[in-house]
Amino acid sequence: MSNYSYIVWIPLLPLLTFLLLGLFGRRYVKNFSGILGSGSLLVSTVLSLLAARQYFLQDGQLNGVYQKIIAFKFTWLEFSPNVSIDISAIIDPISVMMLVVVTFVSLMVHVFSLGYMKGEERFATYYAYLGLFTFSMLGLVLSGNLFQIYMFWELVGVSSFLLIGYYYNKPSAVAASKKAFIVTRFADLGFLIGILVLAFYGQTLDITTLIERLTSTQSAEFAGITTAGFLGVSMLTWGLSLVFIGGAGKSAMFPLHIWLPDAMEGPTPVSALIHAATMVVAGVYLVARLFPIFSVDGVSLQLVTYVGAFSALLAAIIACTQTDIKRVLAYSTMSQIGYMMFALGVSKQGGESGLGYMASMFHLFTHAFFKSLLFLGAGAVIHLVHSNDMKDMGGLRKLMPVTHIAFLVGCLAISGVPPFAGFFSKEEILLAAFHSNKLIFGVALFTAALTSFYMFRLYFSIFWNKEAAHHPHDHGEGTFSMKFPLVILAICAVVAGFIPFAHFVTSDGVALETHMDLGFSAVPVALSILAILLASVMYRVANDKPEKVASTMGGLYKAASRKFYMDELYLFITKKIIFPLIGQPIAWIDKNIVDGLMNWLASVTARISELIKGLQSGKVQNYALYFFGGVAALAVLFIYIWK
């Protein structure tokens, strides 16, 4: 077996960049920070591509099955002979695929930011945070130990907090970063408890060993976790469901999705990184990493299926009503992640029944290219018009020809129009849903049509709709460093679907033969094209049709535009229920009973010490008096009382 130890440099280079720029960037490196950060990511990307070539094309297979390879491993903390926290790097199809996705998209974001963030006072700090974010996600995908995953999982959360709140002088950015951090903390508590449940019954934190023990029906660990239960539910279901809650929080699944739209307060290139390659896809990766265990528990897999499908539909409906272009793209991410989730949910382990798993990973792969393309394209538009609102845009195709074509390619790809990348991966998901669950298939089909509609509503509102107003721009549609990533990502969004993905990434490591069924694909493609035509009629030229449709739909449209009042519901629950009924009583107990008891003990101790402190005055004559007084008292006691 060849040596893979060089992959340690893939995450370490962004970490070194973070340390260097974080400590010395603003004072010594300054404007060179972007070049330094982009250069380190270029090396990491090249190393990732070399690792992918070596693994997939040279020595990753053994007897036709892709193997799990431990590139390096050492024990960090050992709790017992069986349970320890190991620092390791695991090489298998999904980790190698994720290495390529994370490094490549991060590189494009780094390059785009050279122009987009030029002139920012904290330019070096921005690139330091990007390095930390990239390191955290790379460390997560390489982790071979559950607790190692959790450590990097939390680092991803910290990184997103820093980047979402990058403009810390804006109250809305500070509030958004806190919201993302707090909401995902609740989810991560579930993740931590789930880890502890699985590790307790599996007697290990090593992922490979845990999978072996909890998927073998003959093992004592499997018998233990399936026979033990709480509230009539097996501990296997509890453990996996709690782990999924952690993934749902990071991937903004219902009802833990409320942080995602507000996260748009960060710089737009950060949104591209969060939505295409790092934080939001972490939840999907987590379920995929533990999928062999999920596949033996039908209840938790159904939870993944229905939460994913409902999230996909809900987000698509909301996206049809939003006017902030970044929020439209944010809800489109939530919807597409929902696709990936329910694709995992309808899958089984191994063979053709594992089509959903392959389709989910394939869609994660293609989505990374067209979603980063769309966000960076939106960034170029915002850079020109200095607004996020579609009402301030229109007719920009003449002012921004490169961005226009690139954005159109991204819209066609996410809409599943052939031969763009999204078509191939989305069709595989629809096919897997069709063979497994007709209800989920129906929801997915309707959601696909909505996706085409709201994406081309966005496209026509930005680049058509009306004549372009004059915008005070200096560089047209941006610098070369902003246009170059758009061109590269647009090419990827066209060609990525032609990669024989099923030959490389499957649920059991065995190549899967897939065939494009044109008869099956006719309906989804036809619906997408009809939705695009409908968006064209309503938004290509300025008219009153959108207002008429909105007024016709009445309360439904208003509810969707207000995100179905989820934020208001959370505020009501926290401010009207949790704070007064739980928080205030606990605060009173803490202040008056816990603190009060401690304060009373301190006060009593102080009084007693005040009373007796004279006993140790340091005066010898006092001590002699106490001594002879004591002798006299003892003499009286024994002579006259105890005769």
Side-chain angles (χ1 to χ4, degrees), residues 225-226 230-242 244-245 287 291 293-308 341 344-348 437:
I225 198 170
T226 51
F230 177 66
L231 298 177
V233 179
S234 76
M235 295 311 296
L236 179 62
T237 300
W238 276 112
L240 292 174
S241 299
L242 287 166
F244 173 65
I245 287 173
V287 176
F291 184 75
I293 308 177
F294 274 94
S295 66
V296 301
D297 182 63
V299 178
S300 59
L301 212 53
Q302 282 193 333
L303 178 65
V304 173
T305 304
Y306 288 103
V307 169
M341 282 294 192
L344 287 171
V346 300
S347 183
K348 297 291 185 290
N437 188 318

Side-chain angles (χ1 to χ4, degrees), residues 273-450:
L273 192 57
I274 289 175
H275 288 250
T278 52
M279 184 169 178
V280 178
V281 299
V284 179
Y285 176 81
L286 178 66
V287 176
R289 171 56 71 207
L290 297 177
F291 184 75
I293 308 177
F294 274 94
S295 66
V296 301
D297 182 63
V299 178
S300 59
L301 212 53
Q302 282 193 333
L303 178 65
V304 173
T305 304
Y306 288 103
V307 169
F310 183 76
S311 299
L313 177 60
L314 178 72
I317 293 172
I318 296 174
C320 293
T321 65
Q322 300 300 297
T323 58
D324 184 311
I325 63 173
K326 289 176 69 175
R327 287 181 180 248
V328 173
L329 292 177
Y331 280 110
S332 82
T333 300
M334 177 181 166
S335 185
Q336 298 304 302
I337 297 295
Y339 259 86
M340 299 173 206
M341 282 294 192
F342 77 68
L344 287 171
V346 300
S347 183
K348 297 291 185 290
Q349 176 73 3
E352 292 187 358
S353 61
L355 176 63
Y357 178 96
M358 185 282 297
S360 175
M361 295 298 97
F362 193 13
H363 199 55
L364 190 157
F365 180 73
T366 59
H367 175 264
F369 300 122
F370 58 72
K371 182 50 59 69
S372 55
L373 170 63
L374 289 167
F375 263 109
L376 294 183
V381 170
I382 293 168
H383 189 259
L384 173 68
V385 303
H386 301 291
S387 172
N388 291 14
D389 201 310
M390 288 190 288
K391 295 174 183 176
D392 299 325
M393 302 168 190
L396 296 181
R397 66 190 184 281
K398 296 177 182 177
L399 292 176
M400 311 182 77
V402 175
T403 306
H404 168 234
I405 298 300
F407 202 89
L408 177 60
V409 168
C411 289
L412 290 168
I414 197 174
S415 299
V417 175
F420 298 92
F423 164 74
F424 296 95
S425 56
K426 190 175 284 188
E427 291 305 295
E428 298 288 8
I429 291 178
L430 291 172
L431 188 61
F434 178 77
H435 288 304
S436 178
N437 188 318
K438 297 297 190 294
L439 173 63
I440 298 298
F441 171 72
V443 171
L445 200 60
F446 180 60
T447 303
L450 285 179

Side-chain angles (χ1 to χ4, degrees), residues 30-77:
K30 296 182 180 177
N31 295 333
F32 189 68
S33 303
I35 302 296
L36 186 63
S38 302
S40 73
L41 252 296
L42 176 61
V43 177
S44 289
T45 304
V46 171
L47 290 176
S48 298
L49 292 171
L50 289 175
R53 174 176 167 272
Q54 180 181 348
Y55 181 78
F56 286 123
L57 303 180
Q58 293 179 6
D59 56 20
Q61 276 187 327
L62 180 63
N63 299 323
V65 181
Y66 282 106
Q67 304 295 306
K68 282 187 172 68
I69 300 170
I70 306 300
F72 67 87
K73 180 178 180 179
F74 65 90
T75 299
W76 179 41
L77 293 174

Side-chain angles (χ1 to χ4, degrees), residues 204-264:
T204 183
L205 285 164
D206 182 76
I207 294 173
T208 304
T209 308
L210 188 72
I211 290 172
E212 290 174 357
R213 292 178 179 176
L214 297 186
T215 55
S216 173
T217 55
Q218 307 302 317
S219 71
E221 290 81 8
F222 180 82
I225 198 170
T226 51
T227 54
F230 177 66
L231 298 177
V233 179
S234 76
M235 295 311 296
L236 179 62
T237 300
W238 276 112
L240 292 174
S241 299
L242 287 166
V243 166
F244 173 65
I245 287 173
K250 275 285 190 289
S251 290
M253 295 288 93
F254 176 87
L256 299 168
H257 64 283
I258 58 168
W259 65 268
L260 191 65
D262 297 79
M264 298 301 97

Side-chain angles (χ1 to χ4, degrees), residues 402-554:
V402 175
T403 306
H404 168 234
I405 298 300
F407 202 89
L408 177 60
V409 168
C411 289
L412 290 168
I414 197 174
S415 299
V417 175
F420 298 92
F423 164 74
F424 296 95
S425 56
K426 190 175 284 188
E427 291 305 295
E428 298 288 8
I429 291 178
L430 291 172
L431 188 61
F434 178 77
H435 288 304
S436 178
N437 188 318
K438 297 297 190 294
L439 173 63
I440 298 298
F441 171 72
V443 171
L445 200 60
F446 180 60
T447 303
L450 285 179
T451 301
S452 300
F453 174 76
Y454 69 69
M455 286 308 304
F456 275 86
R457 168 181 176 264
L458 181 63
Y459 164 74
F460 287 121
S461 297
I462 296 173
F463 296 103
W464 295 79
N465 197 262
K466 60 188 177 185
E467 289 298 318
H470 173 72
H471 296 286
H473 54 87
D474 298 321
H475 304 288
E477 58 181 322
T479 62
F480 174 78
S481 66
M482 292 172 64
K483 288 183 280 191
F484 176 73
L486 295 178
V487 174
I488 298 299
L489 288 168
I491 293 171
C492 292
V494 174
V495 304
F498 293 100
I499 294 174
F501 196 84
H503 291 180
F504 303 118
V505 181
T506 58
S507 60
D508 57 359
V510 180
L512 185 64
E513 290 297 328
T514 57
H515 305 281
M516 187 56 61
D517 187 341
L518 296 179
F520 176 82
S521 300
V523 174
V525 172
L527 284 175
S528 291
I529 291 174
L530 286 174
I532 292 170
L533 292 175
L534 178 61
S536 174
V537 170
M538 293 181 67
Y539 296 100
R540 186 172 179 273
V541 177
N543 58 73
D544 61 352
K545 292 187 181 71
E547 288 76 13
K548 288 182 178 179
V549 172
S551 61
T552 302
M553 299 183 71

Side-chain angles (χ1 to χ4, degrees), residues 166-184:
Y166 174 76
Y167 296 116
Y168 63 89
N169 54 343
K170 289 175 58 179
S172 58
V174 174
S177 63
K178 289 193 294 185
K179 187 176 183 179
F181 194 75
I182 292 169
V183 171
T184 53

